Amino acid sequence: MTPTEKTARYQIPILRRTLTIQELLASHPEGLSVPDMARRLGYPKNSVYRICMTLLETGYMQCDDQKRYSMTHKILALG
């Protein structure tokens, strides 16, 4: 068993998706829609939407009038 195979069973897939969405949005400060994020990442739209709603509710994400999501500065407080 490789080191990756050994650690894979301890990973949390939804956390990986959440971090990947945050990384994508960091490179698109103008924001992206849920369908855009889903298409770029190859994730189901429903999963992206649910992650966005959680980040929105906790203040780590914002949404504009055109339904484009972007990260807030709250993430910087963690650094």
Side-chain angles (χ1 to χ4, degrees), residues 27-68:
S27 64
H28 292 86
E30 73 282 2
L32 293 169
S33 68
V34 168
D36 286 339
M37 287 185 271
R39 187 182 71 255
R40 289 169 190 251
L41 297 172
Y43 295 164
K45 282 190 267 187
N46 185 48
S47 295
V48 173
Y49 180 76
R50 293 177 73 183
I51 290 168
C52 288
M53 289 301 99
T54 301
L55 292 171
L56 189 65
E57 184 177 314
T58 56
Y60 289 98
M61 187 177 276
Q62 59 193 5
C63 184
D64 66 16
D65 294 340
Q66 297 174 349
K67 297 189 178 182
R68 287 185 310 229

